[in-house]
Amino acid sequence: MIRVLNIIETIGSGGVERRRLSMAKLLDKSLFELKIICTNSYGPFADEIRECGVEVIEIGSLSSFLDIKQHQKVQKIISDFKPHIVHGAIFEGVTMASINGFLKRVPIIVVEETSDPQTRSWKANLLMKALTLPANKAIGVSPAATNYLINTLKISTNKVQLITNGIAEPRAVAIDETLLLKKQLAISEYEIVIGSVGRMTDDSNKRFSDLINAFAILAKKQLPVKLVLVGDGVEKKKYIQQVQDLGIQKQVFFAGYQADTALYYSLFDVFSLVSAHESFGLVLAEAMFHKLPIVATRVGGMKYIVDDNETGFLVEKQDVQAIADKLEILCNNKQIRQAFGQKGFIKAKQNYTEEQYVDTINELYINLVNRHLSIDLPNKEKK
């Protein structure tokens, strides 16, 4: 049995915790015993992970990367669990996994770059580089992340591995469910729905304000369009005020946080994510599984997910007019929407399933164990 300790920051509704849920569901329980340390949790993911038989241990937030009390808690868990592998993701998770994995002599340390750190200071880059030194492997979740590890941090290519994010395929939504939601939101059968999904916690990143401004351009042209934004956070009040200032409140609906996003994706005709930086953009893969054409910014991992003029359109970040122009093309042309959506669906099925993600993690763990430890694994699992 291979004992794996995953360490991340908050378990909420983001991509990192979704991938830990995928591990909890799909890693072979006859081979792996998994535990997860997080700082805090909210929402359903932590409970879903526990329902898979995986212990989730909340230790509380770090006051700094050298929060001694929190590191001591991690060391106590390592001493009790005796993991063969410690795997840290997100900056805080990497910090706790690297430092305490090294101090407690965990045989295998894996760190994971999950962001597109365009604004990370040179000091933070230096710290991140130092944290990768004890690691046996540094994962990048997209080509943008691996490029950062190799080109900015100067980590050996032998240590870096690309493991693309994967998601659970969405549930099938009945037509009656979608029609009922349209009725509730007063959306007619003739209106085109532009949608986006994301946490409204930092507009300097997600840039929902740019999408709202772009939508206002379409609304002023009296196009039959509605904008539906799914997500919550401290910036939401500002977005509501922005919509009111633009006079488009009758055409914009704020859905708040939704555990069942599949229903809302079924409502959309076009999906848009216009972040200023993004390591991957998991919601883009979700949109592709729903056969939606996409308008996205040419940043981070998103430029690798969306094939420009094939599965959607890529625009430069914060170019509101370009966002509006590409949205208008899709709103006015059902044939293009369908063609882009079908190509995106095929790409998602080929590249972004949670089964593919977990299979790759499974192979990585076993390869590292075979290289660094003497554990008798079933022959069929040895690589």
Side-chain angles (χ1 to χ4, degrees):
M1 183 72 72
I2 302 170
R3 293 184 296 275
V4 181
L5 180 63
N6 265 265
I7 308 180
I8 62 175
E9 215 257 333
T10 300
I11 294 181
S13 59
V16 175
E17 44 268 58
R18 292 188 191 191
R19 292 192 296 278
R20 270 62 200 169
L21 176 57
S22 294
M23 290 185 203
K25 289 192 299 182
L26 299 177
L27 275 178
D28 187 343
K29 289 181 173 57
S30 69
L31 274 176
F32 296 100
E33 182 181 359
L34 183 66
K35 289 184 187 289
I36 299 176
I37 294 175
C38 67
T39 55
N40 303 284
S41 72
Y42 66 89
F45 281 165
D47 289 336
E48 290 182 45
I49 291 170
R50 291 186 180 103
E51 288 170 5
C52 295
V54 174
E55 185 179 2
V56 176
I57 306 168
E58 298 181 44
I59 64 169
S61 301
L62 275 72
S63 60
S64 72
F65 80 95
L66 287 179
D67 188 329
I68 301 301
K69 289 184 178 180
Q70 299 303 79
H71 285 294
Q72 288 174 339
K73 291 179 184 179
V74 175
Q75 290 174 29
K76 176 65 165 58
I77 295 166
I78 291 174
S79 295
D80 292 341
F81 184 46
K82 296 179 174 59
H84 301 102
I85 301 171
V86 61
H87 180 167
I90 311 181
F91 195 82
E92 293 84 351
V94 168
T95 299
M96 289 186 283
S98 181
I99 292 174
N100 299 300
F102 175 75
L103 291 175
K104 299 300 292 183
R105 298 184 179 180
V106 176
I108 298 165
I109 298 173
V110 177
V111 297
E112 183 175 338
E113 179 55 72
T114 61
S115 64
D116 181 27
Q118 297 299 313
T119 58
R120 191 173 286 172
S121 70
W122 69 268
K123 291 182 180 179
N125 284 335
L126 188 62
L127 175 59
M128 185 65 181
K129 181 177 176 65
L131 292 171
T132 64
L133 293 177
N136 302 90
K137 190 65 68 172
I139 296 171
V141 300
S142 70
T146 56
N147 288 342
Y148 164 77
L149 293 170
I150 294 168
N151 298 323
T152 301
L153 300 190
K154 306 300 181 184
I155 298 171
S156 168
T157 56
N158 294 327
K159 182 180 282 193
V160 175
Q161 181 169 342
L162 170 64
I163 300 183
T164 305
N165 287 339
I167 62 170
E169 292 191 43
R171 72 174 182 90
V173 179
I175 293 175
D176 289 347
E177 291 182 85
T178 307
L179 291 177
L180 178 60
L181 183 58
K182 279 192 172 185
K183 183 178 180 180
Q184 291 171 344
L185 301 185
I187 297 172
S188 77
E189 61 179 307
Y190 303 106
E191 289 179 307
I192 302 298
V193 180
I194 300 167
S196 192
V197 178
R199 286 178 285 191
M200 298 178 177
T201 55
D202 180 10
D203 192 56
S204 66
N205 178 14
K206 295 296 183 182
R207 301 299 302 176
F208 281 107
S209 59
D210 290 341
L211 180 56
I212 292 168
N213 284 330
F215 177 82
I217 294 173
L218 305 186
K220 289 176 183 177
K221 292 184 177 182
Q222 298 186 331
L223 294 177
V225 290
K226 291 284 179 70
L227 177 63
V228 177
L229 301 176
V230 178
D232 211 341
V234 295
E235 295 287 329
K236 183 179 175 181
K237 289 182 180 179
K238 295 180 182 178
Y239 298 142
I240 292 173
Q241 186 62 53
Q242 179 185 0
V243 165
Q244 292 174 346
D245 292 343
L246 290 167
I248 54 174
Q249 57 267 36
K250 291 183 179 181
Q251 292 164 277
V252 180
F253 180 79
F254 290 89
Y257 170 77
Q258 297 291 329
D260 180 17
T261 55
L263 176 59
Y264 282 84
Y265 280 110
S266 75
L267 180 74
F268 302 159
D269 297 291
V270 177
F271 186 83
S272 186
L273 184 67
V274 294
S275 306
H277 50 90
E278 198 80 50
S279 65
F280 185 82
L282 210 60
V283 292
L284 297 180
E286 291 179 347
M288 291 159 71
F289 272 111
H290 286 275
K291 299 184 179 180
L292 292 173
I294 293 168
V295 175
T297 36
R298 196 188 307 272
V299 299
M302 300 206 296
K303 60 180 176 287
Y304 300 101
I305 299 175
V306 178
D307 296 329
D308 197 19
N309 290 299
E310 292 289 331
T311 64
F313 292 121
L314 291 171
V315 299
E316 299 307 313
K317 64 180 180 181
Q318 299 184 24
D319 190 338
V320 171
Q321 186 61 56
I323 297 167
D325 290 344
K326 297 304 184 185
L327 288 173
E328 185 173 2
I329 290 171
L330 292 175
C331 289
N332 286 333
N333 196 313
K334 184 177 181 179
Q335 186 175 1
I336 294 178
R337 293 201 303 271
Q338 291 177 336
F340 282 6
Q342 183 60 35
K343 289 179 181 178
F345 175 73
I346 292 171
K347 182 174 182 179
K349 287 280 286 185
Q350 291 174 341
N351 297 281
Y352 305 130
T353 67
E354 69 174 351
E355 289 80 7
Q356 290 169 307
Y357 171 77
V358 175
D359 283 348
T360 308
I361 289 290
N362 178 85
E363 184 176 3
L364 170 67
Y365 285 169
I366 291 174
N367 284 340
L368 288 170
V369 166
N370 285 336
R371 194 176 307 148
H372 298 285
L373 293 170
S374 297
I375 296 179
D376 188 19
L377 300 176
N379 289 332
K380 66 177 182 176
E381 297 294 346
K382 291 186 178 181
K383 302 291 180 181

